[in-house]
Amino acid sequence: MDTGARWPGPSQATLEIDLGAIAANWRGLESRLAPGVACAAVVKADAYGLGAAAVAPVLAAAGCRSFFVAQLEEAIVLRRVLGPAPDIFVLNGCLPGEEDIFPAHALIPVLNDRGQVALLAGQAARTGLRPRAALHLDTGMSRLGLTPDEAAGLAEDRDTRRAIDFVLVMSHLARAEEACDMNGEQHRRFALLRAGWSGVPASLANSSGIFLGTSFHFDLARPGAALYGINPVPGRPNPQRAVVTLTAPVLQIRDVAPPETVGYGATFRATTRMRVATIAVGYADGWPRGLSNRGKARFADASLPFLGRVSMDTIVVDATGAPSLRTGDRVTLLGDGLCVDDVAADAGTIGYEILTGLGGRFARVHLPA
Ligand SMILES: *Cc1c(COP(=O)(O)O)cnc(C)c1O
């Protein structure tokens, strides 16, 4: 199998993706589900930046039978990768002109409003076929999905239900990673709505939703982030295995002394003589500029704080604490105790944005499961 691996050149930052850890994370989540509940995998945005073509087959081999992506284009590629067996759901639904592409690739649109439902009912009338679809019910996100009134109306609409083969009703939690009343309220609304869809499997929980208790599991869980090592229970120890290691080589080592400054805008000024290293990764690689003067790298047991601004292609780090560091050595930016959630917090964002922002310039190495 082509894993997409390219051996890194000595001056290239390298992203190592542990496919075995992803499979273990999926199995770990599945084992938390109530008996009879299936575990899907969300592999949208190229498996959160980690490479859906490598990740999805490993999850299928682990036993995953249902996959979710955001876009039709992602789904077409995924179908080619996975072959005919798994269910592939498209969260963004189906816009006019796309409806015939779904059955051509055996893809399932998640219908998000009455217009999309009417589109598929029209398709059914035109083709004489009964298209498969999922239905998104909005229980509080105000993002995608039928309103509770629309959902109740549709549940009673016999003609449409005969025309369309609804294989899943689902909703999405807005605050699953928090302990708050909104989770209970969304659960209550969803349980009420899905009662109108007896016999149709139901799905509510994302990664964090799995940890809210078995009553949130319904028939199918839809984890994404936790598969890729993001902590689904912030503030508590991460039950997931780390998946990504990012290393960057040292291009140059030098001394700076007061009153010299480092980088664009001269935002760091040396107050003492120090040894600094320039490493080959920058914001063009998706390493956020928000980590300027805040991020850190690791080498051996030493922490190497970022000095000054993150540039497009390079970052300068304080290497005073790592006297053995040499040009060509690799420092670690993710992995070795640096977790994606902490990096994200330092950058003022979330792990999801860090992973999906990882650029195309890295050497990517998928470690086989
Ligand atoms: C992205 C997404 C998921 C996965 O959420 P995670 O927090 O990454 O587990 C599940 N359901 C829907 C509708 C989504 O958009």
Side-chain angles (χ1 to χ4, degrees):
M1 182 184 75
D2 179 11
T3 60
R6 246 186 316 142
W7 284 109
S11 63
Q12 199 175 20
T14 301
L15 200 60
E16 219 172 70
I17 296 145
D18 185 344
L19 295 172
I22 294 176
N25 284 339
W26 184 84
R27 283 192 292 263
L29 293 168
E30 194 210 22
S31 72
R32 291 173 190 274
L33 300 176
V37 178
C39 192
V42 180
V43 296
K44 61 192 179 187
D46 202 22
Y48 291 46
L50 302 185
V55 168
V58 166
L59 293 170
C64 183
R65 300 277 170 267
S66 302
F67 292 82
F68 287 81
V69 292
Q71 300 181 343
L72 176 57
E73 290 73 16
E74 297 178 310
I76 292 169
V77 174
L78 189 64
R79 174 59 75 205
R80 218 177 297 141
V81 167
L82 287 176
D87 285 340
I88 300 177
F89 295 89
V90 178
L91 291 166
N92 283 3
C94 180
L95 291 184
E98 291 181 333
E99 63 273 26
D100 291 333
I101 302 173
F102 282 83
H105 300 271
L107 306 172
I108 305 171
V110 180
L111 305 181
N112 287 309
D113 64 21
R114 288 303 309 241
Q116 294 186 4
V117 172
L119 185 66
L120 253 71
Q123 179 188 31
R126 181 162 48 75
T127 62
L129 302 173
R130 189 165 182 247
R132 298 204 309 156
L135 188 66
H136 197 149
L137 311 176
D138 183 25
T139 55
M141 278 286 279
S142 308
R143 184 175 74 167
L144 292 169
L146 273 66
T147 65
D149 282 351
E150 290 172 335
L154 183 60
E156 305 293 317
D157 178 348
R158 290 170 159 277
D159 289 345
T160 302
R161 290 190 62 172
R162 252 196 305 272
I164 300 174
D165 180 12
F166 286 103
V167 297
L168 185 73
V169 290
M170 56 169 273
S171 191
H172 192 47
L173 297 165
R175 303 179 71 180
E177 69 285 357
E178 302 172 56
C180 65
D181 295 343
M182 188 165 179
N183 293 319
E185 178 57 23
Q186 285 196 265
H187 182 281
R188 194 187 62 76
R189 289 183 193 173
F190 186 63
L192 214 64
L193 288 173
R194 69 87 46 131
W197 297 84
S198 65
V200 179
S203 175
L204 179 61
N206 65 339
S207 296
S208 297
I210 291 172
F211 293 81
L212 292 174
T214 52
S215 73
F216 282 80
H217 296 172
F218 293 91
D219 302 302
L220 182 73
R222 307 187 309 272
L227 300 174
Y228 312 112
I230 290 171
N231 188 357
V233 286
R236 283 149 55 194
N238 190 348
Q240 305 305 104
R241 272 173 63 180
V243 167
V244 181
T245 304
L246 172 61
T247 63
V250 174
L251 299 173
Q252 189 185 81
I253 295 183
R254 62 195 294 139
D255 287 343
V256 297
E260 288 176 305
T261 62
V262 174
Y264 287 119
T267 61
F268 178 82
R269 182 180 299 274
T271 56
T272 161
R273 190 169 187 84
M274 59 201 303
R275 190 166 180 269
V276 307
T278 304
I279 62 174
V281 65
Y283 61 75
D285 300 298
W287 215 239
R289 193 163 172 275
L291 290 172
S292 298
N293 286 307
R294 299 176 61 86
K296 52 185 177 293
R298 288 190 68 80
F299 180 74
D301 287 335
S303 179
L304 317 180
F306 290 6
L307 302 177
R309 290 208 179 128
V310 171
S311 298
M312 184 185 294
D313 314 302
T314 56
I315 299 170
V316 177
V317 300
D318 181 358
T320 310
S324 67
L325 187 69
R326 297 285 175 266
T327 300
D329 284 344
R330 284 180 175 272
V331 302
T332 303
L333 295 138
L334 263 186
D336 189 20
L338 294 173
C339 73
V340 62
D341 299 290
D342 291 347
V343 168
D346 285 346
T349 181
I350 55 175
Y352 297 65
E353 191 178 29
I354 298 290
L355 291 187
T356 56
L358 292 171
R361 199 161 57 167
F362 299 119
R364 280 168 194 260
V365 179
H366 286 100
L367 303 180

